[in-house]
């Protein structure tokens, strides 16, 4: 598929050597493997864990041919990834009212776009969706979400620029309940000047939702830009300290060879990836599938 093409090609350029012919599986091979994983942003700790696991499998299965090495590698990556998976990747639902999903992340990662894309997919699957433009901080974010809403025929609750996001959220929860909506998607402001600030703002939004909606918030999705490599891991750590993140949306995988960062995030923080973004259009979003992902990364 179109999206993974770039990740795949660049990664495979580097990795092709490892799997061609009868390369000897010596120390140099494992060193090259490590270097390749690091260059794909798999991260240091995950790279060591993976290389060790792959080495164990190769030795215990007595594998020596390139294509078998590749198969063992994909299997091991999926296994190591899934060992860290404690929840499934589908969205948590609220049985007693609207399912509320908060989208968080720094400016420019593709947060507003992801709200639109997920709104579109939910609507396509027959759900009744409403969106809240609570990113009143970034200039243009409210307008941008309104445009998505018009295009997709999804109502958008807005406030004024630089207004209080909490009041937008309050209005949106009311509208979601009164209109019997299945999903409320909330675009929040992505400022991260100070952690205390961010923590307070998110806590306030959550409090309002908890007061107005049975079972409060079901998902807090952190949106990360895959092209930022290991910076994405740093952002994940900061946001995870500010509030409980229930899942990730990894965007811009159509533009990078660095998709390995999700392994790093899984390894360090144990947060599941729920969606991947593969372009700017409403259709360019997929539910995360570990096996397919690792396969495309290594292929
Ligand atoms: P926000 O500041 O986090 O809300 O970011 P935006 O949603 O405004 O997105 C920033 C830019 O990234 C926009 O030009 C989007 O069209 C683009 N973008 C978002 N997701 C993707 C993606 O998956 N792939 C690509 N190539 N571009 C994306």
């Amino acid at each position: 598929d179109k999206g993974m093409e770039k990740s795949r090609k660049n990664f495979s350029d580097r990795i092709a050597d490892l799997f061609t012919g009868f390369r000897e599986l010596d120390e140099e091979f494992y060193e090259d493997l490590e270097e390749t994983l690091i260059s794909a942003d798999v991260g240091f700790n995950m790279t060591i864990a993976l290389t060790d696991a792959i080495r164990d499998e190769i030795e215990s299965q007595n594998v020596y041919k390139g294509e078998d090495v590749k198969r063992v590698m994909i299997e091991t990556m999926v296994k190591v990834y899934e060992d860290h998976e404690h929840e499934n990747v589908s969205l948590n639902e609220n049985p007693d009212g609207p399912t509320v999903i908060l989208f968080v992340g720094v400016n420019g990662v593709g947060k507003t776009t992801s709200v639109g894309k997920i709104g579109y997919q939910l609507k396509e699957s027959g759900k009744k969706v409403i969106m809240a433009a609570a990113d009143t901080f970034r200039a243009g974010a409210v307008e941008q979400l309104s445009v998505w809403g018009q295009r997709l025929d999804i109502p958008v609750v807005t406030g004024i620029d630089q207004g209080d996001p909490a009041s937008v959220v309050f209005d949106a929860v009311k509208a979601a309940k009164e209109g019997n909506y299945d999903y409320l998607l909330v675009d929040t402001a992505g400022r991260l000047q100070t952690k205390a600030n961010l923590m307070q703002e998110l806590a306030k939004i959550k409090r309002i939702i908890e007061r107005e909606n049975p079972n409060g918030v079901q998902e807090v999705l952190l949106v990360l830009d895959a092209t930022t490599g290991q910076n994405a891991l740093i952002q994940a750590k900061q946001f995870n300290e500010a509030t409980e993140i229930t899942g990730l949306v990894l965007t811009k995988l159509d533009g990078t060879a660095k998709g390995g960062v999700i392994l790093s995030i899984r390894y360090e923080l144990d947060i599941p990836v729920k969606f991947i973004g593969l372009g700017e259009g409403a259709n360019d979003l997929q539910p995360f599938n570990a096996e397919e992902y690792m396969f495309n990364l290594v292929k």
Side-chain angles (χ1 to χ4, degrees):
D1 56 73
K2 156 194 161 198
M4 294 295 290
E5 202 70 12
K6 199 155 181 185
S7 293
R8 182 158 69 72
K9 266 193 195 131
N10 295 356
F11 191 72
S12 66
D13 279 349
R14 298 197 190 100
I15 216 164
D17 252 18
L18 293 172
F19 300 119
T20 43
F22 288 81
R23 178 155 177 198
E24 213 179 318
L25 300 174
D26 52 9
E27 279 316 306
E28 206 186 313
F29 169 83
Y30 290 106
E31 272 166 33
D32 286 353
L33 176 60
E34 276 175 12
E35 242 170 62
T36 309
L37 292 170
I38 296 263
S39 74
D41 254 315
V42 170
F44 184 76
N45 292 336
M46 187 59 163
T47 292
I48 301 299
L50 255 181
T51 309
D52 286 350
I54 290 167
R55 187 200 292 260
D56 285 351
E57 275 307 304
I58 284 177
E59 282 169 8
S60 75
Q61 291 189 33
N62 208 2
V63 153
Y64 59 92
K65 271 199 301 204
E67 68 205 70
D68 293 333
V69 173
K70 197 148 95 178
R71 174 183 53 77
V72 165
M73 186 164 160
I74 294 166
E75 282 169 7
T76 311
M77 284 166 94
V78 172
K79 194 162 154 282
V80 171
Y81 183 87
E82 284 178 348
D83 274 353
H84 279 263
E85 190 163 18
H86 55 79
E87 295 159 70
N88 73 41
V89 299
S90 60
L91 293 169
N92 299 318
E93 307 277 333
N94 182 4
D96 308 316
T99 293
V100 178
I101 307 177
L102 295 188
F103 290 77
V104 302
V106 304
N107 280 348
V109 291
K111 188 161 39 69
T112 304
T113 306
S114 297
V115 176
K117 287 174 178 176
I118 290 171
Y120 170 73
Q121 299 216 337
L122 289 169
K123 192 172 180 210
E124 284 292 288
S125 70
K127 303 293 183 187
K128 210 174 156 193
V129 183
I130 186 167
M131 308 194 285
D135 183 354
T136 56
F137 182 69
R138 175 166 74 83
V142 172
E143 171 66 18
Q144 193 183 333
L145 194 64
S146 302
V147 169
W148 274 98
Q150 275 161 21
R151 216 189 311 152
L152 303 174
D153 195 22
I154 295 174
V156 179
V157 178
T158 60
I160 47 169
D161 264 356
Q162 307 295 319
D164 185 2
S167 86
V168 178
V169 170
F170 179 83
D171 291 345
V173 177
K174 257 186 83 184
K177 276 169 53 187
E178 284 170 9
N180 274 317
Y181 283 88
D182 299 311
Y183 286 88
L184 167 60
L185 310 183
V186 182
D187 190 14
T188 70
R191 47 188 153 165
L192 214 151
Q193 324 108 313
T194 69
K195 206 171 71 198
N197 198 305
L198 176 77
M199 215 183 289
Q200 266 170 18
E201 196 156 299
L202 291 174
K204 189 173 170 192
I205 288 176
K206 278 178 140 177
R207 233 177 9 251
I208 284 166
I209 297 169
E210 272 151 22
R211 216 168 51 206
E212 304 298 323
N213 189 40
N215 308 321
V217 173
Q218 280 62 56
E219 292 275 359
V220 181
L221 297 182
L222 173 63
V223 184
L224 296 171
D225 176 343
T227 64
T228 62
Q230 290 292 304
N231 262 333
L233 174 64
I234 295 166
Q235 286 165 23
K237 281 182 177 161
Q238 287 172 328
F239 273 92
N240 201 45
E241 282 165 20
T243 192
E244 192 202 340
I245 304 296
T246 60
L248 303 176
V249 181
L250 196 67
T251 65
K252 309 188 194 181
L253 276 163
D254 48 313
T256 182
K258 292 183 171 278
V261 71
I262 60 155
L263 286 162
S264 223
I265 294 170
R266 164 64 87 191
Y267 190 79
E268 309 261 347
L269 302 172
D270 204 13
I271 304 172
V273 180
K274 299 220 170 180
F275 296 98
I276 56 175
L278 300 164
E280 301 186 77
N283 253 318
D284 300 323
L285 183 96
Q286 287 174 6
F288 180 70
N289 175 320
E291 200 165 339
E292 196 178 295
Y293 191 88
M294 303 312 166
F295 182 75
N296 280 316
L297 204 61
V298 172
K299 190 162 78 167

